[in-house]
Amino acid sequence: MDRERLVVVGAGMASLRLLEELKAACPGRYAVTVIGAEPEPAYNRVLLSSLLAGEASDEDLAFRDRAWYAANGYRLLTGAPAQTVDAAARRVTLKDGRVFAYDRLVLATGSEAIRLPLPGAHLSQVLVFRDRFDALRLKELGVPGARAVVIGGGLLGLEAAYGLVKLGCAVTVVHLMDKLMERQLDAKGAATLRRALEAKGVAFALGAQSKAIVGETRVEGLELGSGEILPADMIVMACGVRPNAALGRAAGLAANRGLLVDDALRTSDERIFALGECAEHRGVVYGLVAPAYEQAKTLARALAGDAAAYGGTLLSTNLKVSGVSVFSAGAIEAEDGDETIVLSDPGHGCYRKLIVRDDRLTGAILVGEASDALWYLDLIASGAPLGPLRDDLAFGRGFALAA
Ligand SMILES: Cc1cc2nc3c(=O)[nH]c(=O)nc-3n(C[C@H](O)[C@H](O)[C@H](O)COP(=O)(O)OP(=O)(O)OC[C@H]3O[C@@H](n4cnc5c(N)ncnc54)[C@H](O)[C@@H]3O)c2cc1C
């Protein structure tokens, strides 16, 4: 009997992890075709910031070469965006006209960077930061002495800013909110991070609205809502991402922000699955790699015919580049009845806040020193009572376990 045809659209991090998991769960069961829009096989997107900052090489980003796909019977097409999915006929048509029939389809199309529709946003020195091409372009324009404005004081914006500072650019981060990484840090943690980044040469305009990009034929600056113009040779928009759900939506799949999936990562069409940043599970669209990897594990088991369920992922964030350790997981502000433990040493740029609820750790923010991050994350994820650990919790794993 012919093998079932499994087509995977998207050749990014979630897609590759699914292939790895399928190899373990049901090797050879499907005739797999992977359709990727980027010109190369999946690479470590997370390391793009390190690549920009000169702290990782192209080789560091590589995962599997083409020979690996071939050796495992995976047919890999690159530089080949899929244009339409015909769910009734079970066919995917590529932009170049090729057509692939499937028995099962997986959508792993990730996200696209949001481009603010500002006047002047069409200028070629206005960039985003999502793929390897963007990183190359940032490096090309980010020559020593260039003035760069990064719009967005979240994780991605700060990593882009630090990378550009390391290239020798004069960088200002413009952020709408009055504190950095507001979804992961409280006010004191954000202020500690800001000071540390200022010491590394990043300037900030917080609580500032971006109004227009100044320049006729090339970028000359960014006009803020206040009327102030920040001179700039390049602008980086790092203001969030939008799930690439259009392909699935046009095929009639149920979608909200992302493509709606159940606990087996199945969309509203029983033959079509979705995972990674294009999927929305129990109302959550994840923007990190750990959930995508957990989803890949579940989906491989589901495709192997096993009962498997994905129950969601506890989110944690860390800033990789910038030379400032930052970690955040769980609650960032205490609720009534919670205990808040704070250690703050502004002189050394260190801040630590832990939130305890009913003798359980429910949130942790670490700035400046984050070597105990995984320990705190495990405590939050397990939900186990702290018991005797509570007394020395703030001083970290070594101290609390030795006590
Ligand atoms: C600079 C940067 C730093 C990051 N740092 C971190 C971090 O520190 N920690 C963390 O957890 N996460 C980080 N992330 C996020 C992480 O990279 C993503 O969560 C992860 O890549 C999601 O995997 P995915 O497969 O869903 O999407 P992607 O890896 O984006 O892959 C989707 C792929 O699908 C392709 N595609 C889209 N549409 C089509 C189509 N129609 N046809 C064919 N192919 C298509 C895209 O071109 C892309 O190659 C970072 C992201 C960036 C950009």
Side-chain angles (χ1 to χ4, degrees), residues 10 12-14 35 37-38 45 82 109-110 130 156 276-277 288-289 320:
M13 296 186 74
I35 294 167
E38 290 187 70
R45 196 177 303 285
T109 46
R130 179 69 195 175
L156 198 63
E277 289 194 4
L288 295 170
V289 85
K320 313 175 281 297

Side-chain angles (χ1 to χ4, degrees), residues 48-129:
L48 281 176
S49 332
S50 308
L51 182 78
L52 180 67
E55 293 170 1
S57 65
D58 277 324
E59 293 70 46
D60 294 328
L61 266 66
F63 281 135
R64 300 292 191 175
D65 59 14
R66 289 177 191 272
W68 178 87
Y69 290 83
N72 287 288
Y74 297 138
R75 179 176 182 195
L76 172 67
L77 281 70
T78 51
Q83 194 159 40
T84 55
V85 170
D86 182 336
R90 301 201 311 242
R91 274 196 312 245
V92 177
T93 303
L94 307 195
K95 204 170 165 198
D96 63 18
R98 281 180 286 175
V99 178
F100 293 86
Y102 64 82
D103 298 299
R104 311 235 180 176
L105 173 67
V106 173
L107 298 176
T109 46
S111 302
E112 62 175 346
I114 291 174
R115 277 183 169 266
L116 298 178
L118 299 179
H122 62 280
L123 293 169
S124 65
Q125 298 81 24
V126 180
L127 311 175
V128 293
F129 191 21

Side-chain angles (χ1 to χ4, degrees), residues 200-215:
K200 291 182 184 293
V202 183
F204 291 96
L206 300 185
Q209 196 176 8
S210 301
K211 191 170 162 203
I213 291 161
V214 182

Side-chain angles (χ1 to χ4, degrees), residues 122-397:
H122 62 280
L123 293 169
S124 65
Q125 298 81 24
V126 180
L127 311 175
V128 293
F129 191 21
R130 179 69 195 175
D131 59 25
R132 203 195 276 264
F133 173 81
D134 298 328
L136 287 179
R137 186 85 180 115
L138 280 165
K139 277 193 148 177
E140 220 172 82
L141 293 183
V143 293
R147 296 161 307 174
V149 167
V150 176
I151 305 178
L155 192 77
L156 198 63
L158 297 182
E159 293 195 345
Y162 176 72
L164 290 167
V165 162
K166 286 216 46 189
L167 291 175
C169 302
V171 184
T172 304
V173 173
V174 173
H175 194 43
L176 194 55
M177 313 303 283
D178 59 4
K179 66 182 176 112
L180 301 175
M181 291 179 66
E182 71 279 355
R183 275 183 290 170
Q184 292 93 8
L185 299 180
D186 65 347
K188 282 198 174 134
T192 308
L193 173 62
R194 176 186 174 168
R195 280 193 298 274
L197 288 173
E198 281 172 342
K200 291 182 184 293
V202 183
F204 291 96
L206 300 185
Q209 196 176 8
S210 301
K211 191 170 162 203
I213 291 161
V214 182
E216 288 295 320
T217 55
R218 54 172 302 117
V219 167
E220 290 170 15
L222 178 74
E223 183 182 351
L224 303 180
S226 63
E228 184 188 353
I229 292 178
L230 299 174
D233 305 302
M234 62 193 287
I235 310 269
V236 185
M237 291 190 178
C239 3
V241 293
R242 183 183 299 115
N244 280 326
L247 192 65
R249 199 177 266 129
L253 302 180
N256 187 22
R257 273 191 68 223
L259 300 171
L260 301 186
V261 292
D262 65 14
D263 289 358
L265 286 317
R266 198 184 293 270
T267 66
S268 54
D269 180 317
E270 62 168 7
R271 288 181 178 269
I272 306 181
F273 300 80
L275 84 166
E277 289 194 4
C278 67
E280 179 169 331
H281 175 258
R282 298 188 190 173
V284 183
V285 177
Y286 293 99
L288 295 170
V289 85
Y293 281 4
E294 285 184 38
Q295 292 172 356
K297 202 176 188 71
T298 304
L299 180 50
R301 290 182 52 207
L303 288 168
D306 298 338
Y310 170 71
T313 306
L314 170 69
L315 288 184
S316 70
T317 314
N318 62 328
L319 198 62
K320 313 175 281 297
V321 296
S322 79
V324 187
S325 298
V326 176
F327 167 81
S328 163
I332 60 171
E333 297 293 353
E335 289 176 12
D336 279 354
D338 291 351
E339 292 173 81
T340 306
I341 307 168
V342 175
L343 283 185
S344 177
D345 184 349
H348 283 98
C350 287
Y351 176 76
R352 176 172 295 201
K353 176 164 117 176
L354 304 169
I355 299 176
V356 175
R357 185 175 305 158
D358 298 330
D359 196 37
R360 287 167 172 81
L361 186 63
T362 58
I365 292 174
L366 311 177
V367 181
E369 208 292 311
S371 55
D372 285 314
L374 287 181
W375 183 63
Y376 289 124
L377 182 62
D378 282 347
L379 286 174
I380 297 173
S382 75
L386 292 168
L389 290 181
R390 166 67 183 81
D391 288 349
D392 294 303
L393 189 67
F395 305 111
R397 182 170 193 273

